[in-house]
Amino acid sequence: MDALATGRLSPVLTPEALRLEQERQARLLAAIRAGQGPLPAGWAGHRVGLRAHQRHARATARRALAGAYPVLASWLGDPGFDDLAWWLWRRSPPANGDLGTWGGELPRALAGPAASVSADQASLARLEWAVHRAARAADPVPGWPTGLAALHATPPDALWLWPQAGLSVVPCRPQALARWQAAQSPSPEGASPLGAVDWVLVRRVGWQVAVRGLSADQARFTRRLLAGDSLGQALTAAAPADFQDWLRDALAEGWWRAVSHTAHRRFHDEDEP
């Protein structure tokens, strides 16, 4: 029986009531983040109630962040990672109900002066977020990229390569990469031996995520394409030492979903080093 038949309709907030509720929620969130200080206006309960909200937020932050950064969580240990998750939650709390989207600011935050982790741990965070994003990305488009014939018939300045969802290229320090590799068992299907590399390419392979090493010149070139450069712009600014080798691997492993005459939206963070 539906709500109309029973007469039990949920109340509809007026614009003014909605504004007041949003303000109340914002005050409560600020009080939870502050930890100390005045209680939010209109708070009818004891300060113990606010502490309960804080404990719940802290536990939720840890669970959500550990889902994206399991290797970093193991490296830091429970107390250290708990403190890190709470620090990030207070600095940048979730913006929506999907907690799987929260935590992307951690690599950048760990690179700042306020961070208390090592450079290797910050590098691991960058790698783990790339893996997390790829794991949540849409399924790869199978087969060769659409429009592939345009590579032979169109000037490179008029072509853009559209990446598969979740594809990224990130710098990765050797110890961070070794930590991540040691935690992967069994190795994801399609993963290539990494060895001593400073850059990795992260992508979806079926239901899994593959991480493979890239030389510095291939990484710079690929990142320019991900940032929105046309093929011609990327070749002019950062052509790899052997473009044919790069192209062979990119096509064989399915990095790109289309060769297009139109630019895609920016897929990569230009502020990353």
Side-chain angles (χ1 to χ4, degrees), residues 234-253:
L235 285 169
T236 299
D242 192 324
F243 175 73
Q244 292 303 321
D245 280 353
W246 176 90
L247 183 62
R248 181 195 63 237
D249 290 344
L251 294 178
E253 297 177 11

Side-chain angles (χ1 to χ4, degrees), residues 134-174:
R136 289 172 52 87
D139 291 341
V141 178
W144 296 105
T146 59
L148 186 60
L151 289 175
H152 303 287
T154 306
D157 283 338
L159 292 177
W160 284 262
L161 301 187
W162 287 30
Q164 297 280 11
L167 182 77
S168 62
V169 174
V170 295
C172 195
R173 295 169 64 94

